[in-house]
Amino acid sequence: MRENPLLGLTFILVPFSLLSIGGGPSIFAPLQREVVDVMHWITAREFIDLFSIARVAPGPGAMLATLIGWKVAGWAGAIVATLALFVPASILTLAVARVYDRYRGRDWHTALEKGLAPVAVGLIFAGAISIIRLSGDGALTWAAAVGAGLTLTLRPKLHPFVVLFAGAGLFVAAEMAGLWPVVAP
Amino acid sequence: MMQETPPKVPLRDIFRVFFTIGASSFGGGVTGWMHRITVGERGWLTNEKFLAGLALGQVLPGANVTNMAVYVGQVLRGTLGAGVALLAVLMGPFFLVIAVATLYDTAIKIPGFHSAMDGIAAAAVGMVLRMGTMGALHGCRKAAPGVIAFGVFVAIGILQWPLAPVALVAGPISVALAWPRGPGRGGLDA
């Protein structure tokens, strides 16, 4: 496993894939233990850098695994790590979604859809809070978030990119005005 | 309201939409955008069905984005649709994250870089808040679902309890409360 990094990545990431309830953040701590402390593939400093990059780049934060694979074994490592982390969980989701879809219209199905909706709403707001917490909890963050939400409600045809870049511009301007600290990753 | 058989969506469209969503999912909050495009713009599935999939996707292991891609792809075109959506949603981020990694040492020195990223994240949260509000207006108007939604939010968002036990308690309670009742409805005879 130590000799073959591709095999090692697979053995570490496949179980993590099936344990990543709630997405990437739930496996970051055990992932760091494995790749830094146990396998000595990367240093703690490199792990933190890769974590920041995964947050800044598009895609789920779990793309951190892709970067670890890339660091460990180049393009082959990146591909193997990505597949090992995303495919097992996706197969499970597909299996559940298929069973779920086959029984449309039954009482338990209606109950599941109506019953899971409020759980999802709670998780959506919890997710919003956690992103705000990660990106520096402040009045400006909240104002920008609420402003963006209202803008998209009032102007449904507006491309979301416009709103995202407006947010970026606002924060850069705030930094120039000394209102927003540069948060180290 | 409820669409029993969604219209057959070309795989090419699934790929295009999920590639775009994946490649532009900066700073989290991508489910908000996914909701906007798949439910709002394309009308591929109902709000209720999207939220049910979102709840499933969040309860099951895996990133929300990839689980939702698999779920929506499966709804539209079965296993093939799920595979296409998963591949499409990961392809952009795969190359971009490696590209950013190679540029990182340079990019980090650009003034305002982190502030721009924080601003993008904040705006993306706005989409998430909008999606949550729409879901709340749609499905949480009665007391019981409202209490469930608020309880889940407090437990996960404020108290930061682990997701699995919270979902395993709140999910079944909420589903039981939502069970269709009325004359001639046996409930468990389904």
Side-chain angles (χ1 to χ4, degrees), chain A residues 90 93-94 96-98 100-101, chain B residues 6-11 13-15 17-18 21 30-31 33-40 42-57 64-86 89:
Chain A
S90 294
T93 301
L94 176 64
V96 173
R98 283 180 68 88
Y100 193 70
D101 218 31
Chain B
K8 197 166 183 178
V9 175
L11 290 173
D13 285 10
I14 296 178
F15 186 91
V17 161
F18 280 98
I21 289 171
V30 65
T31 42
W33 197 351
M34 200 179 278
H35 175 264
R36 186 182 166 80
I37 294 177
T38 58
V39 178
R42 300 265 173 167
W44 278 351
L45 64 175
T46 61
N47 193 48
E48 202 168 37
K49 191 151 195 188
F50 183 92
L51 287 177
L54 190 61
L56 274 184
N64 290 339
V65 181
T66 51
N67 280 352
M68 274 315 282
V70 167
Y71 176 83
V72 175
Q74 140 72 23
V75 166
L76 298 175
R77 290 295 299 269
T79 304
L80 193 58
V84 166
L86 178 67
V89 88

Short mmCIF file of all heavy atoms in Angstrom, two decimals, chain A residues 90 93-94 96-98 100-101, chain B residues 6-11 13-15 17-18 21 30-31 33-40 42-57 64-86 89:
data_model
loop_
_atom_site.label_atom_id
_atom_site.label_comp_id
_atom_site.label_asym_id
_atom_site.label_seq_id
_atom_site.Cartn_x
_atom_site.Cartn_y
_atom_site.Cartn_z
N SER A 90 -21.74 7.95 -4.74
CA SER A 90 -22.71 8.19 -5.82
C SER A 90 -23.51 6.94 -6.15
O SER A 90 -24.71 7.01 -6.43
CB SER A 90 -21.98 8.67 -7.07
OG SER A 90 -21.40 9.93 -6.83
N THR A 93 -26.13 6.62 -3.52
CA THR A 93 -27.20 7.59 -3.78
C THR A 93 -28.08 7.14 -4.94
O THR A 93 -29.31 7.23 -4.87
CB THR A 93 -26.61 8.98 -4.10
OG1 THR A 93 -25.81 9.40 -2.99
CG2 THR A 93 -27.71 10.00 -4.35
N LEU A 94 -27.44 6.63 -6.00
CA LEU A 94 -28.20 6.15 -7.16
C LEU A 94 -29.14 5.02 -6.76
O LEU A 94 -30.31 5.01 -7.13
CB LEU A 94 -27.24 5.68 -8.25
CG LEU A 94 -27.87 5.08 -9.49
CD1 LEU A 94 -28.71 6.10 -10.23
CD2 LEU A 94 -26.81 4.50 -10.42
N VAL A 96 -30.40 4.31 -3.79
CA VAL A 96 -31.50 4.82 -2.97
C VAL A 96 -32.49 5.61 -3.85
O VAL A 96 -33.71 5.45 -3.71
CB VAL A 96 -30.96 5.70 -1.82
CG1 VAL A 96 -32.11 6.37 -1.07
CG2 VAL A 96 -30.12 4.87 -0.87
N ALA A 97 -31.95 6.44 -4.76
CA ALA A 97 -32.82 7.25 -5.62
C ALA A 97 -33.71 6.36 -6.50
O ALA A 97 -34.86 6.67 -6.75
CB ALA A 97 -31.98 8.19 -6.49
N ARG A 98 -33.15 5.23 -6.96
CA ARG A 98 -33.92 4.32 -7.83
C ARG A 98 -35.07 3.68 -7.06
O ARG A 98 -36.20 3.63 -7.55
CB ARG A 98 -33.01 3.24 -8.41
CG ARG A 98 -32.14 3.73 -9.54
CD ARG A 98 -31.27 2.61 -10.05
NE ARG A 98 -32.07 1.59 -10.71
CZ ARG A 98 -32.38 1.64 -12.02
NH1 ARG A 98 -31.95 2.63 -12.76
NH2 ARG A 98 -33.10 0.70 -12.55
N TYR A 100 -36.41 4.82 -4.43
CA TYR A 100 -37.26 5.94 -4.08
C TYR A 100 -38.19 6.29 -5.23
O TYR A 100 -39.38 6.53 -5.05
CB TYR A 100 -36.33 7.11 -3.77
CG TYR A 100 -36.98 8.29 -3.11
CD1 TYR A 100 -37.40 8.21 -1.79
CD2 TYR A 100 -37.12 9.48 -3.79
CE1 TYR A 100 -37.97 9.29 -1.18
CE2 TYR A 100 -37.68 10.57 -3.18
CZ TYR A 100 -38.11 10.47 -1.88
OH TYR A 100 -38.67 11.55 -1.27
N ASP A 101 -37.65 6.28 -6.44
CA ASP A 101 -38.40 6.68 -7.62
C ASP A 101 -39.42 5.63 -8.04
O ASP A 101 -40.45 5.95 -8.61
CB ASP A 101 -37.42 6.95 -8.77
CG ASP A 101 -37.86 8.15 -9.60
OD1 ASP A 101 -38.47 9.06 -9.02
OD2 ASP A 101 -37.61 8.15 -10.81
N PRO B 6 -41.66 12.93 -15.98
CA PRO B 6 -41.01 14.12 -16.52
C PRO B 6 -40.69 13.91 -18.00
O PRO B 6 -40.45 12.79 -18.43
CB PRO B 6 -39.72 14.24 -15.70
CG PRO B 6 -39.86 13.28 -14.56
CD PRO B 6 -40.82 12.24 -15.01
N PRO B 7 -40.70 14.99 -18.81
CA PRO B 7 -40.37 14.85 -20.23
C PRO B 7 -38.94 14.33 -20.40
O PRO B 7 -38.08 14.61 -19.56
CB PRO B 7 -40.50 16.28 -20.75
CG PRO B 7 -40.40 17.16 -19.54
CD PRO B 7 -40.96 16.36 -18.42
N LYS B 8 -38.71 13.56 -21.48
CA LYS B 8 -37.39 12.98 -21.69
C LYS B 8 -36.39 14.05 -22.08
O LYS B 8 -36.54 14.72 -23.10
CB LYS B 8 -37.47 11.91 -22.79
CG LYS B 8 -36.28 10.98 -22.78
CD LYS B 8 -36.56 9.74 -23.62
CE LYS B 8 -35.38 8.78 -23.54
NZ LYS B 8 -35.60 7.54 -24.28
N VAL B 9 -35.41 14.22 -21.23
CA VAL B 9 -34.40 15.27 -21.44
C VAL B 9 -33.19 14.66 -22.12
O VAL B 9 -32.71 13.61 -21.71
CB VAL B 9 -33.99 15.89 -20.08
CG1 VAL B 9 -32.88 16.89 -20.26
CG2 VAL B 9 -35.19 16.51 -19.39
N PRO B 10 -32.68 15.29 -23.20
CA PRO B 10 -31.51 14.74 -23.88
C PRO B 10 -30.30 14.70 -22.94
O PRO B 10 -30.10 15.61 -22.15
CB PRO B 10 -31.25 15.72 -25.03
CG PRO B 10 -32.49 16.52 -25.17
CD PRO B 10 -33.18 16.51 -23.85
N LEU B 11 -29.50 13.62 -23.04
CA LEU B 11 -28.29 13.47 -22.21
C LEU B 11 -27.35 14.65 -22.40
O LEU B 11 -26.67 15.08 -21.49
CB LEU B 11 -27.57 12.16 -22.54
CG LEU B 11 -28.28 10.87 -22.11
CD1 LEU B 11 -27.55 9.66 -22.66
CD2 LEU B 11 -28.39 10.79 -20.60
N ASP B 13 -28.16 17.73 -22.92
CA ASP B 13 -28.60 18.84 -22.08
C ASP B 13 -28.20 18.63 -20.63
O ASP B 13 -27.80 19.56 -19.94
CB ASP B 13 -30.13 19.01 -22.17
CG ASP B 13 -30.56 19.63 -23.48
OD1 ASP B 13 -29.69 19.74 -24.37
OD2 ASP B 13 -31.74 19.99 -23.61
N ILE B 14 -28.34 17.37 -20.17
CA ILE B 14 -27.95 17.05 -18.78
C ILE B 14 -26.48 17.36 -18.60
O ILE B 14 -26.06 18.00 -17.63
CB ILE B 14 -28.25 15.58 -18.46
CG1 ILE B 14 -29.77 15.32 -18.53
CG2 ILE B 14 -27.71 15.20 -17.09
CD1 ILE B 14 -30.16 13.88 -18.28
N PHE B 15 -25.66 16.92 -19.59
CA PHE B 15 -24.22 17.14 -19.49
C PHE B 15 -23.92 18.63 -19.46
O PHE B 15 -23.18 19.12 -18.62
CB PHE B 15 -23.48 16.47 -20.65
CG PHE B 15 -21.98 16.56 -20.51
CD1 PHE B 15 -21.28 15.54 -19.87
CD2 PHE B 15 -21.28 17.66 -20.98
CE1 PHE B 15 -19.91 15.61 -19.71
CE2 PHE B 15 -19.90 17.74 -20.82
CZ PHE B 15 -19.22 16.72 -20.19
N VAL B 17 -25.80 21.26 -18.68
CA VAL B 17 -26.25 21.97 -17.48
C VAL B 17 -25.36 21.64 -16.28
O VAL B 17 -24.91 22.53 -15.54
CB VAL B 17 -27.73 21.62 -17.18
CG1 VAL B 17 -28.09 21.94 -15.73
CG2 VAL B 17 -28.65 22.38 -18.12
N PHE B 18 -25.05 20.34 -16.09
CA PHE B 18 -24.28 19.98 -14.90
C PHE B 18 -22.80 20.35 -15.05
O PHE B 18 -22.13 20.63 -14.06
CB PHE B 18 -24.48 18.51 -14.54
CG PHE B 18 -25.77 18.30 -13.81
CD1 PHE B 18 -26.90 17.85 -14.48
CD2 PHE B 18 -25.86 18.61 -12.47
CE1 PHE B 18 -28.10 17.70 -13.82
CE2 PHE B 18 -27.06 18.46 -11.79
CZ PHE B 18 -28.18 18.01 -12.47
N ILE B 21 -22.86 23.98 -14.06
CA ILE B 21 -23.04 24.11 -12.61
C ILE B 21 -21.74 23.76 -11.88
O ILE B 21 -21.29 24.49 -11.00
CB ILE B 21 -24.20 23.20 -12.14
CG1 ILE B 21 -25.54 23.76 -12.62
CG2 ILE B 21 -24.19 23.07 -10.62
CD1 ILE B 21 -26.71 22.82 -12.40
N VAL B 30 -23.76 25.94 -4.12
CA VAL B 30 -24.06 25.52 -5.48
C VAL B 30 -25.44 24.89 -5.60
O VAL B 30 -26.07 24.96 -6.65
CB VAL B 30 -22.98 24.54 -6.01
CG1 VAL B 30 -22.99 23.26 -5.23
CG2 VAL B 30 -23.18 24.26 -7.47
N THR B 31 -25.95 24.32 -4.49
CA THR B 31 -27.29 23.73 -4.57
C THR B 31 -28.33 24.80 -4.86
O THR B 31 -29.34 24.53 -5.49
CB THR B 31 -27.64 22.96 -3.28
OG1 THR B 31 -27.20 23.72 -2.16
CG2 THR B 31 -26.99 21.60 -3.26
N TRP B 33 -27.91 27.35 -6.83
CA TRP B 33 -27.86 27.57 -8.26
C TRP B 33 -28.48 26.39 -9.01
O TRP B 33 -29.20 26.55 -10.02
CB TRP B 33 -26.41 27.78 -8.68
CG TRP B 33 -26.30 28.41 -10.02
CD1 TRP B 33 -27.33 28.63 -10.91
CD2 TRP B 33 -25.12 28.90 -10.64
NE1 TRP B 33 -26.85 29.23 -12.04
CE2 TRP B 33 -25.50 29.40 -11.90
CE3 TRP B 33 -23.79 28.96 -10.25
CZ2 TRP B 33 -24.57 29.95 -12.77
CZ3 TRP B 33 -22.88 29.50 -11.12
CH2 TRP B 33 -23.26 30.00 -12.37
N MET B 34 -28.20 25.20 -8.51
CA MET B 34 -28.75 24.00 -9.14
C MET B 34 -30.28 24.04 -9.10
O MET B 34 -30.95 23.70 -10.07
CB MET B 34 -28.24 22.76 -8.40
CG MET B 34 -28.33 21.49 -9.19
SD MET B 34 -27.69 20.10 -8.27
CE MET B 34 -25.94 20.25 -8.55
N HIS B 35 -30.81 24.48 -7.97
CA HIS B 35 -32.26 24.62 -7.81
C HIS B 35 -32.80 25.62 -8.83
O HIS B 35 -33.80 25.37 -9.51
CB HIS B 35 -32.57 25.09 -6.39
CG HIS B 35 -34.02 25.38 -6.14
ND1 HIS B 35 -34.55 26.64 -6.24
CD2 HIS B 35 -35.05 24.56 -5.83
CE1 HIS B 35 -35.84 26.59 -5.99
NE2 HIS B 35 -36.17 25.33 -5.73
N ARG B 36 -32.10 26.72 -8.95
CA ARG B 36 -32.52 27.80 -9.85
C ARG B 36 -32.58 27.31 -11.31
O ARG B 36 -33.54 27.59 -12.03
CB ARG B 36 -31.49 28.92 -9.71
CG ARG B 36 -31.82 30.17 -10.46
CD ARG B 36 -30.66 31.14 -10.25
NE ARG B 36 -30.76 32.22 -11.21
CZ ARG B 36 -31.57 33.25 -11.06
NH1 ARG B 36 -32.36 33.31 -10.01
NH2 ARG B 36 -31.63 34.20 -11.97
N ILE B 37 -31.57 26.55 -11.72
CA ILE B 37 -31.53 26.12 -13.11
C ILE B 37 -32.46 24.93 -13.37
O ILE B 37 -33.27 24.95 -14.29
CB ILE B 37 -30.08 25.77 -13.52
CG1 ILE B 37 -29.22 27.03 -13.51
CG2 ILE B 37 -30.06 25.12 -14.89
CD1 ILE B 37 -27.77 26.81 -13.82
N THR B 38 -32.39 23.88 -12.53
CA THR B 38 -33.16 22.66 -12.82
C THR B 38 -34.65 22.84 -12.55
O THR B 38 -35.48 22.33 -13.30
CB THR B 38 -32.62 21.46 -12.02
OG1 THR B 38 -32.68 21.76 -10.62
CG2 THR B 38 -31.20 21.14 -12.40
N VAL B 39 -35.00 23.55 -11.47
CA VAL B 39 -36.41 23.74 -11.13
C VAL B 39 -36.97 25.00 -11.81
O VAL B 39 -38.02 24.96 -12.44
CB VAL B 39 -36.61 23.82 -9.60
CG1 VAL B 39 -38.08 24.08 -9.26
CG2 VAL B 39 -36.13 22.55 -8.94
N GLY B 40 -36.24 26.11 -11.66
CA GLY B 40 -36.73 27.38 -12.16
C GLY B 40 -36.64 27.52 -13.67
O GLY B 40 -37.66 27.63 -14.35
N ARG B 42 -35.28 25.39 -16.17
CA ARG B 42 -35.56 24.25 -17.05
C ARG B 42 -36.87 23.55 -16.74
O ARG B 42 -37.43 22.87 -17.60
CB ARG B 42 -34.42 23.23 -16.95
CG ARG B 42 -33.06 23.78 -17.37
CD ARG B 42 -32.80 23.46 -18.82
NE ARG B 42 -31.58 24.10 -19.30
CZ ARG B 42 -31.00 23.78 -20.45
NH1 ARG B 42 -31.51 22.84 -21.22
NH2 ARG B 42 -29.92 24.40 -20.83
N GLY B 43 -37.34 23.67 -15.49
CA GLY B 43 -38.57 22.98 -15.11
C GLY B 43 -38.43 21.47 -15.20
O GLY B 43 -39.39 20.75 -15.52
N TRP B 44 -37.24 20.96 -14.91
CA TRP B 44 -37.00 19.52 -15.02
C TRP B 44 -37.68 18.72 -13.92
O TRP B 44 -38.02 17.57 -14.08
CB TRP B 44 -35.49 19.24 -14.99
CG TRP B 44 -34.82 19.44 -16.31
CD1 TRP B 44 -35.42 19.66 -17.51
CD2 TRP B 44 -33.41 19.44 -16.57
NE1 TRP B 44 -34.48 19.81 -18.50
CE2 TRP B 44 -33.24 19.67 -17.95
CE3 TRP B 44 -32.28 19.27 -15.76
CZ2 TRP B 44 -31.98 19.71 -18.54
CZ3 TRP B 44 -31.04 19.32 -16.34
CH2 TRP B 44 -30.89 19.55 -17.73
N LEU B 45 -37.83 19.33 -12.77
CA LEU B 45 -38.51 18.63 -11.68
C LEU B 45 -39.17 19.66 -10.76
O LEU B 45 -38.84 20.85 -10.81
CB LEU B 45 -37.57 17.70 -10.90
CG LEU B 45 -36.38 18.23 -10.09
CD1 LEU B 45 -35.72 17.07 -9.36
CD2 LEU B 45 -35.36 18.91 -10.95
N THR B 46 -40.15 19.18 -9.95
CA THR B 46 -40.89 20.09 -9.09
C THR B 46 -40.02 20.50 -7.90
O THR B 46 -39.05 19.83 -7.56
CB THR B 46 -42.17 19.43 -8.55
OG1 THR B 46 -41.79 18.29 -7.78
CG2 THR B 46 -43.08 19.00 -9.68
N ASN B 47 -40.44 21.62 -7.30
CA ASN B 47 -39.74 22.11 -6.11
C ASN B 47 -39.72 21.04 -5.02
O ASN B 47 -38.69 20.79 -4.40
CB ASN B 47 -40.46 23.36 -5.61
CG ASN B 47 -39.65 24.13 -4.59
OD1 ASN B 47 -38.47 24.39 -4.81
ND2 ASN B 47 -40.27 24.46 -3.47
N GLU B 48 -40.87 20.39 -4.84
CA GLU B 48 -41.00 19.37 -3.80
C GLU B 48 -40.04 18.22 -4.05
O GLU B 48 -39.37 17.72 -3.15
CB GLU B 48 -42.45 18.86 -3.77
CG GLU B 48 -42.86 18.23 -2.47
CD GLU B 48 -44.38 18.03 -2.43
OE1 GLU B 48 -44.95 17.70 -3.50
OE2 GLU B 48 -44.95 18.20 -1.34
N LYS B 49 -39.97 17.80 -5.31
CA LYS B 49 -39.11 16.67 -5.65
C LYS B 49 -37.63 17.04 -5.49
O LYS B 49 -36.82 16.24 -5.04
CB LYS B 49 -39.39 16.22 -7.09
CG LYS B 49 -38.72 14.91 -7.42
CD LYS B 49 -39.49 14.12 -8.47
CE LYS B 49 -38.97 12.70 -8.47
NZ LYS B 49 -39.47 11.88 -9.53
N PHE B 50 -37.31 18.27 -5.86
CA PHE B 50 -35.94 18.74 -5.69
C PHE B 50 -35.55 18.72 -4.21
O PHE B 50 -34.49 18.21 -3.84
CB PHE B 50 -35.80 20.17 -6.23
CG PHE B 50 -34.40 20.71 -6.17
CD1 PHE B 50 -33.53 20.56 -7.24
CD2 PHE B 50 -33.94 21.37 -5.03
CE1 PHE B 50 -32.23 21.06 -7.18
CE2 PHE B 50 -32.64 21.87 -4.96
CZ PHE B 50 -31.80 21.71 -6.04
N LEU B 51 -36.44 19.23 -3.36
CA LEU B 51 -36.14 19.29 -1.92
C LEU B 51 -36.03 17.88 -1.32
O LEU B 51 -35.19 17.63 -0.46
CB LEU B 51 -37.21 20.09 -1.18
CG LEU B 51 -37.15 21.60 -1.40
CD1 LEU B 51 -38.31 22.28 -0.68
CD2 LEU B 51 -35.83 22.17 -0.90
N ALA B 52 -36.88 16.96 -1.81
CA ALA B 52 -36.79 15.57 -1.32
C ALA B 52 -35.42 15.00 -1.67
O ALA B 52 -34.77 14.34 -0.85
CB ALA B 52 -37.91 14.73 -1.92
N GLY B 53 -34.98 15.26 -2.90
CA GLY B 53 -33.67 14.77 -3.32
C GLY B 53 -32.55 15.43 -2.55
O GLY B 53 -31.57 14.78 -2.18
N LEU B 54 -32.73 16.72 -2.26
CA LEU B 54 -31.71 17.44 -1.50
C LEU B 54 -31.58 16.85 -0.09
O LEU B 54 -30.47 16.64 0.40
CB LEU B 54 -32.08 18.92 -1.42
CG LEU B 54 -31.01 19.85 -0.87
CD1 LEU B 54 -29.76 19.80 -1.74
CD2 LEU B 54 -31.52 21.27 -0.78
N ALA B 55 -32.72 16.55 0.51
CA ALA B 55 -32.68 15.95 1.84
C ALA B 55 -32.01 14.58 1.79
O ALA B 55 -31.15 14.25 2.61
CB ALA B 55 -34.10 15.83 2.41
N LEU B 56 -32.37 13.76 0.81
CA LEU B 56 -31.73 12.45 0.64
C LEU B 56 -30.23 12.63 0.44
O LEU B 56 -29.42 11.94 1.06
CB LEU B 56 -32.30 11.73 -0.58
CG LEU B 56 -33.57 10.91 -0.44
CD1 LEU B 56 -33.87 10.21 -1.77
CD2 LEU B 56 -33.43 9.87 0.65
N GLY B 57 -29.88 13.58 -0.45
CA GLY B 57 -28.47 13.79 -0.79
C GLY B 57 -27.66 14.26 0.40
O GLY B 57 -26.47 13.98 0.50
N ASN B 64 -22.87 17.16 -1.45
CA ASN B 64 -24.23 17.53 -1.86
C ASN B 64 -24.34 17.70 -3.37
O ASN B 64 -25.32 17.26 -3.98
CB ASN B 64 -24.64 18.86 -1.20
CG ASN B 64 -24.85 18.70 0.28
OD1 ASN B 64 -25.09 17.59 0.76
ND2 ASN B 64 -24.77 19.78 1.00
N VAL B 65 -23.33 18.34 -3.96
CA VAL B 65 -23.36 18.64 -5.39
C VAL B 65 -23.42 17.35 -6.21
O VAL B 65 -24.25 17.21 -7.11
CB VAL B 65 -22.12 19.44 -5.80
CG1 VAL B 65 -22.17 19.75 -7.28
CG2 VAL B 65 -22.00 20.70 -4.99
N THR B 66 -22.55 16.40 -5.89
CA THR B 66 -22.51 15.17 -6.68
C THR B 66 -23.75 14.32 -6.41
O THR B 66 -24.31 13.72 -7.33
CB THR B 66 -21.23 14.37 -6.39
OG1 THR B 66 -21.06 14.21 -4.98
CG2 THR B 66 -20.01 15.08 -6.95
N ASN B 67 -24.20 14.29 -5.16
CA ASN B 67 -25.41 13.52 -4.85
C ASN B 67 -26.62 14.11 -5.58
O ASN B 67 -27.47 13.36 -6.09
CB ASN B 67 -25.67 13.50 -3.35
CG ASN B 67 -24.80 12.47 -2.64
OD1 ASN B 67 -24.12 11.67 -3.28
ND2 ASN B 67 -24.81 12.50 -1.33
N MET B 68 -26.71 15.43 -5.61
CA MET B 68 -27.83 16.06 -6.32
C MET B 68 -27.74 15.81 -7.82
O MET B 68 -28.76 15.62 -8.49
CB MET B 68 -27.87 17.56 -6.03
CG MET B 68 -28.62 17.94 -4.77
SD MET B 68 -30.20 17.09 -4.61
CE MET B 68 -31.22 18.02 -5.75
N ALA B 69 -26.51 15.83 -8.36
CA ALA B 69 -26.34 15.53 -9.78
C ALA B 69 -26.83 14.12 -10.08
O ALA B 69 -27.58 13.89 -11.04
CB ALA B 69 -24.88 15.69 -10.19
N VAL B 70 -26.42 13.16 -9.23
CA VAL B 70 -26.85 11.77 -9.41
C VAL B 70 -28.37 11.67 -9.29
O VAL B 70 -29.03 11.01 -10.11
CB VAL B 70 -26.16 10.86 -8.37
CG1 VAL B 70 -26.80 9.49 -8.32
CG2 VAL B 70 -24.67 10.75 -8.68
N TYR B 71 -28.94 12.36 -8.30
CA TYR B 71 -30.38 12.30 -8.06
C TYR B 71 -31.17 12.88 -9.25
O TYR B 71 -32.07 12.23 -9.80
CB TYR B 71 -30.74 13.04 -6.78
CG TYR B 71 -32.22 13.12 -6.50
CD1 TYR B 71 -32.89 12.07 -5.89
CD2 TYR B 71 -32.95 14.25 -6.85
CE1 TYR B 71 -34.25 12.14 -5.63
CE2 TYR B 71 -34.31 14.33 -6.61
CZ TYR B 71 -34.95 13.27 -6.00
OH TYR B 71 -36.30 13.35 -5.77
N VAL B 72 -30.80 14.08 -9.67
CA VAL B 72 -31.53 14.73 -10.76
C VAL B 72 -31.32 13.94 -12.06
O VAL B 72 -32.27 13.71 -12.82
CB VAL B 72 -31.09 16.20 -10.94
CG1 VAL B 72 -31.76 16.82 -12.16
CG2 VAL B 72 -31.42 17.01 -9.69
N GLY B 73 -30.07 13.49 -12.30
CA GLY B 73 -29.79 12.69 -13.49
C GLY B 73 -30.63 11.42 -13.52
O GLY B 73 -31.17 11.03 -14.56
N GLN B 74 -30.77 10.79 -12.36
CA GLN B 74 -31.57 9.56 -12.25
C GLN B 74 -33.05 9.84 -12.50
O GLN B 74 -33.73 9.09 -13.20
CB GLN B 74 -31.33 8.93 -10.87
CG GLN B 74 -32.54 8.34 -10.16
CD GLN B 74 -33.04 7.05 -10.80
OE1 GLN B 74 -32.29 6.37 -11.48
NE2 GLN B 74 -34.31 6.73 -10.57
N VAL B 75 -33.55 10.95 -11.96
CA VAL B 75 -34.95 11.32 -12.17
C VAL B 75 -35.21 11.52 -13.67
O VAL B 75 -36.23 11.08 -14.21
CB VAL B 75 -35.30 12.61 -11.39
CG1 VAL B 75 -36.63 13.19 -11.85
CG2 VAL B 75 -35.35 12.31 -9.89
N LEU B 76 -34.26 12.17 -14.35
CA LEU B 76 -34.47 12.53 -15.76
C LEU B 76 -34.26 11.35 -16.70
O LEU B 76 -35.05 11.14 -17.62
CB LEU B 76 -33.54 13.69 -16.15
CG LEU B 76 -33.74 15.01 -15.40
CD1 LEU B 76 -32.67 16.00 -15.80
CD2 LEU B 76 -35.12 15.58 -15.65
N ARG B 77 -33.17 10.60 -16.51
CA ARG B 77 -32.81 9.57 -17.48
C ARG B 77 -32.24 8.29 -16.86
O ARG B 77 -31.43 7.61 -17.47
CB ARG B 77 -31.79 10.13 -18.48
CG ARG B 77 -32.33 11.17 -19.44
CD ARG B 77 -33.38 10.62 -20.39
NE ARG B 77 -32.84 9.57 -21.24
CZ ARG B 77 -32.29 9.77 -22.43
NH1 ARG B 77 -32.22 10.99 -22.91
NH2 ARG B 77 -31.83 8.77 -23.12
N GLY B 78 -32.63 7.98 -15.62
CA GLY B 78 -32.18 6.75 -15.01
C GLY B 78 -30.69 6.70 -14.74
O GLY B 78 -30.04 7.74 -14.61
N THR B 79 -30.14 5.47 -14.69
CA THR B 79 -28.74 5.28 -14.33
C THR B 79 -27.80 6.02 -15.28
O THR B 79 -26.81 6.63 -14.85
CB THR B 79 -28.39 3.78 -14.32
OG1 THR B 79 -29.29 3.12 -13.43
CG2 THR B 79 -26.96 3.54 -13.86
N LEU B 80 -28.12 5.98 -16.57
CA LEU B 80 -27.29 6.66 -17.56
C LEU B 80 -27.26 8.17 -17.30
O LEU B 80 -26.20 8.80 -17.32
CB LEU B 80 -27.83 6.36 -18.97
CG LEU B 80 -26.92 6.73 -20.14
CD1 LEU B 80 -25.59 6.00 -20.03
CD2 LEU B 80 -27.62 6.38 -21.45
N GLY B 81 -28.43 8.73 -17.03
CA GLY B 81 -28.52 10.15 -16.73
C GLY B 81 -27.71 10.50 -15.49
O GLY B 81 -27.03 11.54 -15.45
N ALA B 82 -27.77 9.63 -14.48
CA ALA B 82 -27.03 9.87 -13.24
C ALA B 82 -25.52 9.86 -13.51
O ALA B 82 -24.78 10.72 -13.02
CB ALA B 82 -27.39 8.80 -12.20
N GLY B 83 -25.07 8.90 -14.33
CA GLY B 83 -23.65 8.81 -14.66
C GLY B 83 -23.17 10.02 -15.43
O GLY B 83 -22.11 10.59 -15.14
N VAL B 84 -23.98 10.45 -16.40
CA VAL B 84 -23.63 11.62 -17.21
C VAL B 84 -23.56 12.87 -16.32
O VAL B 84 -22.62 13.66 -16.40
CB VAL B 84 -24.65 11.82 -18.36
CG1 VAL B 84 -24.49 13.19 -19.00
CG2 VAL B 84 -24.47 10.73 -19.40
N ALA B 85 -24.57 13.03 -15.45
CA ALA B 85 -24.60 14.21 -14.58
C ALA B 85 -23.41 14.23 -13.63
O ALA B 85 -22.79 15.27 -13.41
CB ALA B 85 -25.92 14.25 -13.80
N LEU B 86 -23.05 13.06 -13.08
CA LEU B 86 -21.92 12.98 -12.15
C LEU B 86 -20.61 13.34 -12.86
O LEU B 86 -19.83 14.15 -12.37
CB LEU B 86 -21.82 11.57 -11.54
CG LEU B 86 -20.63 11.36 -10.60
CD1 LEU B 86 -20.78 12.19 -9.34
CD2 LEU B 86 -20.49 9.88 -10.23
N VAL B 89 -20.58 17.11 -13.70
CA VAL B 89 -20.45 18.04 -12.59
C VAL B 89 -19.03 18.00 -12.00
O VAL B 89 -18.57 18.99 -11.42
CB VAL B 89 -21.54 17.76 -11.51
CG1 VAL B 89 -21.08 16.73 -10.50
CG2 VAL B 89 -21.96 19.05 -10.82
#
